[in-house]
Amino acid sequence: MPQSERMQQLAPVLAWIDSHRDAALTHLQQFCRQPSVAAQNWGMEEMAKMVEASLSELGAATQIIATEGYPVVVGQLAGDSARRLAIYNHYDVQPPEPLDAWSFPPFDATIHDGYLYARGVADNKGNLVARLWAARAWREVYGSLPCHVTFLFEGEEEIGSPHLGSFAAANRDLINADACLWETGYRDAEGALGIYAGVKGILYIELRTRGTAYDLHSSNAPLAPNAVWRLIAALNALRDAEGNILIPHFYDDVKAPSERERELLARFPVNVEAYQKSWESAILPGPSGSQTTPTERLLYAPTCNICGIWGGYSGSGSKTVIPAIAGVKIDFRLVPDQDPQKILGHLRRYLTERGFDDVEVIELEGTEYPGQSPIDTPLLEALVRSARTIYGIEPHVQVRTAGTGPMEALSQRYGIPAIGGAGVGHSESRTHAPNENIRVDDYILNIKHVAALLAEFAAM
């Protein structure tokens, strides 16, 4: 179908979305008012049922498929073309703490000055509900969708999707598709939508040290080992002052950008000034002598990041002790072709060789492999064209996002390309932080974007 005919076909769908703006917004508020914190098992059963009910109301053939953790909710809708699109999202959210840092209660879904504030509204309930409404618009106007759609909504993404891989392996018929629309998407400070074809992997670990059987009076410091000092010494062995990771063989499998990827890096650089303004901090400089840009460091550099550290007394006033135990949580963000299990082995050997065999290394849930699809896949082209139509601004295309998700386990392991970028978020959405928010207008635009994408993808 020529582009002009697709636009004529799309016009009444977009008009329907405009006329049902308030109902779509109310539906999103209902989703955001239902807590669904996987890490705390808070509201997860209720949320899964709400998702399934919304799919049923849409007319989808639905299933709630149990896993060893929280279930995957599946909905299938037939379409007019033979093209098959999987749509992946998650219905779990991050914990809302610290509660006193919120301007509005995290599960009230408050609308204020054109923004909707709620835990999970940008990550990932806004995207999930917008995609339901895009499908609903087509069905209300034409009675069917332009292409076949399978919704795959999991409940464990925020805890590392530990059971999505086994779900995919056991349900190959359900996940099979020509391509998969991935979960997330944000507009940058200039209003351009970011579109990406991959994600970083992650290895999440905990290091623990013990010095004595119990906390001692600090007067014993000349004689007694201190667990916190021991932990600091181990941490200093992992990374130098410029951020270079010192674990032998850590960088062996890292792939440098191709010529085509370097073109994208140069064409669509990250907005350093916007980051610095939002973070109220200068960005870190690269290693001395390195010619890599901030964009390349963000998307192509693996990391070793401290998420949290503890040991001893940190309450009010003073308590003079020698801490007996200490610990730190670390995430390694990994890039193609790094293998999380190989990195874990390198880490353990390195600590032992450096004399830190007393430091306990614990792999936590959430290990995920890097995921990467070709940047010339048809779904990416469809996302770009539909974004131009709806937003009126050229989207920014990059080979991957700096974040992590189970893209490899659900899609690429089975030869299904996965592309992300159709989302409701913006550069100040504060994902995972207090005052998470979206702009209401972006939510409506995203419904339209996904509706346009369905037509573009069906025509390819």
Side-chain angles (χ1 to χ4, degrees):
M1 180 187 298
Q3 179 71 20
S4 59
E5 291 184 22
R6 289 203 297 277
M7 291 303 299
Q8 291 178 358
Q9 183 188 34
L10 181 63
V13 176
L14 302 183
W16 186 93
I17 293 169
D18 281 330
S19 66
H20 291 79
R21 174 188 178 102
D22 291 344
L25 187 56
T26 297
H27 192 188
L28 176 56
Q29 287 179 294
Q30 292 170 348
F31 264 57
C32 291
R33 287 170 179 157
Q34 171 58 57
S36 52
V37 184
Q40 301 169 347
N41 192 16
W42 181 12
M44 295 302 295
E45 181 179 354
E46 294 86 349
M47 191 73 245
K49 290 179 178 178
M50 184 179 291
V51 172
E52 194 273 339
S54 293
L55 285 167
S56 294
E57 183 181 357
L58 183 59
T62 64
Q63 300 178 66
I64 297 181
I65 299 179
T67 72
E68 292 184 17
Y70 303 116
V72 177
V73 185
V74 179
Q76 294 178 291
L77 289 168
D80 296 331
S81 79
R83 302 285 289 175
R84 300 163 300 164
L85 181 66
I87 297 181
Y88 165 79
N89 287 90
H90 60 92
Y91 59 86
D92 63 318
V93 304
Q94 283 282 324
E97 289 82 4
L99 298 178
D100 59 0
W102 286 79
S103 299
F104 307 96
F107 295 108
D108 275 13
T110 301
I111 297 176
H112 179 73
D113 286 343
Y115 291 77
L116 196 164
Y117 293 84
R119 169 54 81 231
V121 67
D123 184 16
N124 180 243
K125 291 180 179 179
N127 297 345
L128 188 159
V129 179
R131 293 168 183 193
L132 295 179
W133 276 82
R136 181 173 180 177
W138 276 100
R139 287 179 62 82
E140 292 289 341
V141 173
Y142 291 110
S144 62
L145 299 183
C147 61
H148 295 278
V149 171
T150 299
F151 295 100
L152 301 166
F153 298 152
E154 72 152 322
E156 297 184 319
E157 196 275 343
E158 298 294 8
I159 57 173
S161 304
H163 302 108
L164 191 64
S166 58
F167 160 82
N171 294 278
R172 293 283 302 277
D173 56 330
L174 286 179
I175 69 169
N176 189 32
D178 296 306
C180 178
L181 176 62
W182 206 245
E183 46 128 347
T184 193
Y186 295 85
R187 300 179 74 183
D188 66 17
E190 285 75 43
L193 196 68
I195 295 175
Y196 59 91
V199 294
K200 287 186 176 182
I202 193 169
L203 171 65
Y204 201 169
I205 66 161
E206 189 172 301
L207 300 182
R208 295 179 187 172
T209 56
R210 173 174 288 278
T212 55
Y214 51 88
D215 288 357
L216 302 180
H217 191 288
S218 65
S219 64
N220 293 299
L223 302 179
N226 183 308
V228 174
W229 279 120
R230 184 60 172 165
L231 182 64
I232 291 171
L235 290 173
N236 281 331
L238 298 185
R239 209 183 78 147
D240 68 19
E242 293 187 332
N244 297 300
I245 299 166
L246 304 176
I247 302 168
H249 308 294
F250 182 84
Y251 294 102
D252 284 0
D253 298 323
V254 174
K255 293 177 64 176
S258 67
E259 183 176 344
R260 169 62 174 146
E261 291 166 359
R262 289 196 183 278
E263 292 175 1
L264 292 175
L265 290 171
R267 185 180 178 190
F268 301 116
V270 298
N271 189 328
V272 171
E273 291 184 1
Y275 282 160
Q276 293 180 147
K277 180 180 178 181
S278 175
W279 299 346
E280 299 181 8
S281 170
I283 69 166
L284 294 172
S288 59
S290 172
Q291 300 300 312
T292 58
T293 65
T295 307
E296 184 173 342
R297 296 206 312 273
L298 180 66
L299 301 181
Y300 286 81
T303 64
C304 173
N305 173 65
I306 294 175
C307 300
I309 188 168
W310 65 96
Y313 179 72
S314 59
S316 60
S318 63
K319 183 182 181 184
T320 52
V321 296
I322 299 172
I325 58 173
V328 62
K329 290 184 185 291
I330 296 174
D331 70 61
F332 294 91
R333 298 279 175 169
L334 308 177
V335 297
D337 290 321
Q338 288 180 301
D339 182 325
Q341 296 306 318
K342 286 176 64 175
I343 297 298
L344 181 61
H346 296 326
L347 169 66
R348 285 181 164 141
R349 282 190 295 273
Y350 175 60
L351 288 175
T352 297
E353 291 167 358
R354 287 293 300 268
F356 292 104
D357 52 311
D358 59 312
V359 176
E360 187 178 7
V361 181
I362 302 166
E363 180 184 5
L364 303 177
E365 276 194 337
T367 296
E368 292 178 326
Y369 285 77
Q372 190 61 58
S373 295
I375 56 177
D376 59 354
T377 185
L379 178 58
L380 190 146
E381 299 172 15
L383 267 170
V384 168
R385 286 200 300 273
S386 54
R388 289 181 187 138
T389 298
I390 299 303
Y391 294 97
I393 185 172
E394 187 70 14
H396 288 188
V397 177
Q398 287 295 357
V399 68
R400 70 181 63 94
T401 177
T404 297
M407 188 181 277
E408 187 275 337
L410 182 66
S411 298
Q412 287 135 356
R413 188 175 299 178
Y414 304 104
I416 302 168
I419 306 295
V424 303
H426 63 100
S427 60
E428 297 285 346
S429 278
R430 301 196 177 195
T431 302
H432 290 200
N435 292 326
E436 183 176 352
N437 70 88
I438 64 169
R439 295 181 291 234
V440 172
D441 287 346
D442 283 342
Y443 171 59
I444 303 303
L445 282 171
N446 184 238
I447 298 174
K448 293 180 178 181
H449 183 202
V450 177
L453 169 67
L454 295 177
E456 290 286 351
F457 184 71
M460 300 189 73

